[in-house]
Amino acid sequence: MKYFVITDSTDTQVGLRLAGIEGVVVREPSQVREAIQTAAADREIGVLLITEKLAALCQDLIDPMKLTAQRPLVVEIPDRHSVGRAPDSITRYIREAIGVKV
C-alpha cells in the first residue's frame, strides 16, 4: 500500500516526496476532482492525503470516501498556510491517535 498526496502547494508536495510520498499539485476544482477519482481507482494507494483547502472544494467526493470506502483512507492535512488550527495541532493529533509524544 502506498501513500499519495493531493495538494495545491509545491512546497508540501516536495516535502512529502522527500519522505517517499508521491503526489500531484493541482489548483483548479476540476483538477482536484480528477486527481481524487484517479487516486481512488488506484488499487495500490492505501492512504490519500489531501490538503484541507482542496478537500473543502470537493466535500461531495471526500465525505462518502471517508464514511464508506475501505480504501483509500482519506486524511485531510493542513498546509503551511492553514490558519484554522492551533500551532501544535499536528503533534497533538499524533499523540491522541497513537499515544506517542512527538
Side-chain angles (χ1 to χ4, degrees), residues 68-90:
T68 60
Q70 292 182 352
R71 186 209 46 80
L73 172 66
V74 178
V75 180
E76 292 181 29
I77 59 171
D79 65 6
R80 66 186 181 118
H81 300 294
S82 290
V83 293
R85 293 180 179 249
D88 69 338
S89 63
I90 295 175

Side-chain angles (χ1 to χ4, degrees), residues 2-16:
K2 299 187 304 186
Y3 283 79
F4 190 80
V5 65
I6 300 172
T7 180
D8 59 345
S9 168
T10 304
D11 294 338
T12 301
Q13 196 252 352
V14 169
L16 289 172

Side-chain angles (χ1 to χ4, degrees), residues 52 78 82 84-96:
E52 292 170 335
S82 290
R85 293 180 179 249
D88 69 338
S89 63
I90 295 175
T91 55
R92 188 169 6 119
Y93 178 74
I94 293 169
R95 185 174 57 247
E96 290 172 3

